[in-house]
Amino acid sequence: MGTLRDLQFALQLKIEELRQRDSLIDELELELDTKDDLIRQLQTELDRHRNASQHTGSTENTVPDEPQRTKRQAISAEPTALDPAQLTHVTLTNYSKSEESRELIHRALLENEFMKHLEQGQIQTIVDCMHPTRLARGCCVIQEGDDGSLVYVLEEGKVEVTKGEQKLCTIDPGKVFGELAILYNCTRTATVTALTDIKLWAIDRQGFQTIMMRTGLIKHSQYMEFLRSVPSFQLLPEDVLSKVADVLEETHYSEGDYIIRQGATGDTFFIISEGQVKVTQQKSSNEEPEFLTTLSRGDWFGEQALKG
């Protein structure tokens, strides 16, 4: 049986392998995004020619495809030992901060590759729960090889990152570091030392996991409530509704964006979580769209798309 150090080393190798895999996925996604941009450009050009054809007397009724939806990505972490039933009894402490500090932490989280995909409510709660730490010049913030459980945002001063005897980089205010500690239960991969007197904001793994699980359970409960209000789903058993709630994806639209175009092929069912949408119908190509109704939070549309 391997020693703890052997297991930690094996875990570190696995994390590095996952990083390389994620890097490859990012490259492939970038390539797909490039191709998607080309497809949209071609579609726009095609629509322009079709519109020109319509204006010259064509009666063909063309409808652009539904716009691409911006799906919120998620970050994954190790399985947590927290019991969901105990989450309501776990107290999250809020720490007082100046408005400048809150803005700096918020901006740093949004610029971090792991944190930027969190929902705004989750980021806001993390900002509230981060506690202050001050260290003098020369102090070690993170020691390579130690077990890590804190993630930091640097507000004042400068720190240096080294691995072994090699200097990797320096970190200036407004940056996140040590984030792997709240995603994976692993040893620190580098040493971070204060080059000046520094001020940090930090949150530990349990606090982070509590925030993620609590907001996740609240969101799942909201999804279940929405689904129970849809007539097409009212006869479904609870376990099936729960699975549907698990696969719902949060989507954001700006004011004035088209969500569904009349005549376009539909394959998506929508439930409104925030905001309002306007429903219109165009009875003929020569008439202006007619206003039908306004839908708001808890309303749904597009359910027929699930039936083919």
Side-chain angles (χ1 to χ4, degrees), residues 9 37 43 90 92 111 120 123 196 223 261 278 288:
F9 180 73
D37 288 339
Q43 182 67 51
V90 177
L92 294 172
E111 291 175 354
Q120 284 300 318
I123 290 179
T196 65
Y223 288 168
R261 291 273 199 173
K278 181 174 69 173
E288 289 295 319

Side-chain angles (χ1 to χ4, degrees), residues 40-236:
R40 283 194 292 271
Q41 291 174 8
L42 294 174
Q43 182 67 51
T44 300
E45 188 69 15
L46 179 60
D47 290 340
R48 187 174 66 81
H49 286 297
R50 284 176 173 172
N51 289 335
S53 176
Q54 286 182 342
H55 289 314
T56 56
S58 172
T59 59
E60 180 184 6
N61 185 22
T62 60
V63 180
D65 291 337
E66 292 182 18
Q68 282 198 328
R69 292 173 292 277
T70 306
K71 298 177 182 178
R72 180 171 294 278
Q73 302 180 27
I75 62 175
S76 61
E78 61 170 346
T80 176
L82 293 173
D83 182 357
Q86 298 176 347
L87 283 177
T88 55
H89 304 294
V90 177
T91 302
L92 294 172
T93 304
N94 292 349
Y95 293 86
S96 177
K97 303 173 181 67
S98 67
E99 192 60 35
E100 291 77 11
S101 294
R102 296 183 65 86
E103 290 179 359
L104 179 138
I105 299 171
H106 190 272
R107 185 168 58 250
L109 295 176
L110 290 179
E111 291 175 354
N112 182 264
E113 193 63 32
F114 288 103
M115 305 292 188
K116 67 182 182 181
H117 300 303
L118 296 177
E119 296 179 9
Q120 284 300 318
Q122 293 171 330
I123 290 179
Q124 194 61 53
T125 306
I126 292 173
V127 172
D128 292 338
C129 294
M130 295 196 92
H131 62 268
T133 301
R134 288 187 178 273
L135 294 173
R137 176 181 178 183
C139 288
C140 182
V141 185
I142 291 175
Q143 179 63 52
E144 182 180 356
D146 286 353
D147 292 332
S149 63
L150 291 169
V151 61
Y152 300 95
V153 174
L154 180 63
E155 180 173 10
E156 297 176 4
K158 182 177 293 188
V159 298
E160 180 181 70
V161 183
T162 58
K163 187 173 181 64
E165 299 297 326
Q166 181 181 4
K167 175 182 175 180
L168 300 182
C169 65
T170 58
I171 298 177
D172 295 317
K175 297 295 182 183
V176 176
F177 62 92
E179 62 270 29
L180 282 182
I182 59 172
L183 300 176
Y184 306 98
N185 184 16
C186 61
T187 57
R188 298 293 194 180
T189 59
T191 296
V192 179
T193 307
L195 293 178
T196 65
D197 293 348
I198 60 174
K199 179 182 179 181
L200 302 161
W201 295 95
I203 187 171
D204 63 19
R205 184 188 304 121
Q206 181 172 347
F208 176 80
Q209 290 181 345
T210 299
I211 292 170
M212 298 303 293
M213 288 187 65
R214 184 176 290 178
T215 54
L217 289 174
I218 292 173
K219 183 69 68 175
H220 187 273
S221 176
Q222 291 174 344
Y223 288 168
M224 289 289 288
E225 181 180 348
F226 285 153
L227 292 175
R228 291 190 190 101
S229 69
V230 180
S232 300
F233 293 160
Q234 287 178 351
L235 297 180
L236 295 178

